[in-house]
Amino acid sequence: MLGDIGGTNARFAVLPAPGEPVHLLPRTLTADTPDPVGAITIALQGYEGAAPRSAMIAVATRVDAPAIRLTNASWVIDAEAIGKALGLERVTLVNDYTPVAASVTVLSEEKGDLAPIGSGRPEAGARVVLGPGTGLGVGALVPVEDRLAIVATEAGHIEFGPSTEEEAALWPHLERVGGRVSAEVVLSGPGMFRIAKAITAHRCVTCPYAKPNDVLTAAREGDEMAQAALDLFARWLGRYAGDMALTFESSGGVFIAGGIAPRMVDILQSGGFREAFDHKAPHEAWARKVPAFVIVNAEPALQGLAALVTNPGRFVFKSQGWTA
């Protein structure tokens, strides 16, 4: 069994055998059940194949123990509790961006899994994956001799600041979380909403939006303030993605995952993202060569989990778990 548990959604699938297609199960909401065992039980109700013998589950938080609490939801993910409840032989927990990093080894532009942002061609070297969703996940895929090391990070929580006078004027109006403006505070679903609220506060008008989806919808309907919020979001995402490219020297590319980017591919491709991505003096010439893509495949984490369990010797990654 494969699982991808985020702050909002819990996605599950079954891989019957190495190399076989992933059998997707119905998605559940983390708010609908008190724990992951309940969600997994619901997801498996319509599955008629052989019962899974083991599980690998990706979790949207730091994975430093076999029982961990989600960052943006109330669930505790307990490998032993899941294994015993489902009669499994083994349960492995990994950070949610570990399989997203692995997924870029099996996804391709030719198959329609990736949408390019600007020019640039992949070269040999590290690859970075990041994704604004309920939070902001970041991981890297780094070649080491004949294997690929997956570095799961908490880089979404690094400090983020203004770089122009226009942005500095907006900064006093941005909501702080824990007294900080981190990258996740602005580059996430809630972050998009915070940007929109800051713009309306700066313009001394009432915010007409109630949630992040309202901003996306209003922008598609021609609302100028919502469009300004999305343009700023795209520019900041490009700046941050370029910073991550520099951090990991990711000549192999930067891949944008998460639930937001696939819904605004045209905006990310319109110029602001790539301009900010490339603006990396004294390394602008290098940055322009780094390709960037939006992952438009619907379930990259589940595809990545399948790659990890199918080719375990190819990857090196951190995990926690339980064995019967």
Side-chain angles (χ1 to χ4, degrees), residues 57-154:
I57 301 174
V59 186
T61 190
R62 182 189 298 275
V63 177
D64 52 12
I68 47 180
R69 181 177 294 276
L70 288 179
T71 301
N72 294 310
S74 60
W75 278 7
V76 172
I77 316 298
D78 186 329
E80 180 178 359
I82 292 171
K84 288 183 175 180
L86 300 177
L88 302 175
E89 299 171 1
R90 182 178 67 257
V91 178
T92 302
L93 304 182
V94 296
N95 177 269
D96 59 334
Y97 267 73
T98 294
V100 178
S103 78
V104 303
T105 66
V106 295
L107 303 180
S108 72
E109 187 177 352
E110 291 71 26
K111 292 189 296 184
D113 298 316
L114 307 172
I117 310 174
S119 59
R121 300 183 63 180
E123 298 179 2
R127 286 167 276 186
V128 166
V129 293
L130 59 98
T134 305
L136 176 62
V138 183
L141 190 69
V142 182
V144 180
E145 297 181 347
D146 60 343
R147 304 178 77 185
L148 295 170
I150 300 177
V151 184
T153 82
E154 292 296 333

Side-chain angles (χ1 to χ4, degrees), residues 13 23 35 69 73 91 94-95 101 107 111 119 135 142 154 173-174 177 190 206 238 252 260 273-274 287 304 320-321:
H23 182 97
D35 55 51
R69 181 177 294 276
V91 178
V94 296
N95 177 269
L107 303 180
K111 292 189 296 184
S119 59
V142 182
E154 292 296 333
H173 303 289
L174 273 171
V177 176
T206 301
I260 297 172
F273 174 100
R274 192 70 218 198
Q320 293 282 341

Side-chain angles (χ1 to χ4, degrees), residues 60-283:
T61 190
R62 182 189 298 275
V63 177
D64 52 12
I68 47 180
R69 181 177 294 276
L70 288 179
T71 301
N72 294 310
S74 60
W75 278 7
V76 172
I77 316 298
D78 186 329
E80 180 178 359
I82 292 171
K84 288 183 175 180
L86 300 177
L88 302 175
E89 299 171 1
R90 182 178 67 257
V91 178
T92 302
L93 304 182
V94 296
N95 177 269
D96 59 334
Y97 267 73
T98 294
V100 178
S103 78
V104 303
T105 66
V106 295
L107 303 180
S108 72
E109 187 177 352
E110 291 71 26
K111 292 189 296 184
D113 298 316
L114 307 172
I117 310 174
S119 59
R121 300 183 63 180
E123 298 179 2
R127 286 167 276 186
V128 166
V129 293
L130 59 98
T134 305
L136 176 62
V138 183
L141 190 69
V142 182
V144 180
E145 297 181 347
D146 60 343
R147 304 178 77 185
L148 295 170
I150 300 177
V151 184
T153 82
E154 292 296 333
H157 298 287
I158 65 175
E159 209 78 22
F160 196 84
S163 66
T164 67
E165 291 185 5
E166 173 192 6
E167 293 176 5
L170 196 65
W171 226 250
H173 303 289
L174 273 171
E175 176 189 352
R176 269 64 176 165
V177 176
R180 305 173 65 226
V181 177
S182 67
E184 182 173 277
V185 167
V186 291
L187 297 177
S188 59
M192 180 183 293
F193 186 43
R194 292 185 184 103
I195 292 171
K197 288 194 295 183
I199 289 173
T200 58
H202 179 56
R203 296 183 182 184
C204 300
V205 298
T206 301
C207 181
Y209 321 115
K211 55 186 183 298
N213 279 341
D214 293 347
V215 183
L216 279 165
T217 301
R220 295 302 186 192
E221 294 173 350
D223 182 275
E224 187 274 332
M225 282 195 300
Q227 290 174 342
L230 289 194
D231 288 344
L232 192 56
F233 183 92
R235 191 197 320 162
W236 287 354
L237 183 59
R239 182 195 305 167
Y240 180 77
D243 286 345
M244 291 298 102
L246 280 176
T247 299
F248 292 98
E249 292 194 357
S250 57
S251 53
V254 174
F255 300 80
I256 314 297
I260 297 172
R263 300 172 60 191
M264 53 182 295
V265 171
D266 57 331
I267 297 170
L268 295 174
Q269 292 175 329
S270 66
F273 174 100
R274 192 70 218 198
E275 180 183 4
F277 185 102
D278 294 343
H279 187 56
K280 297 299 173 190
H283 299 292

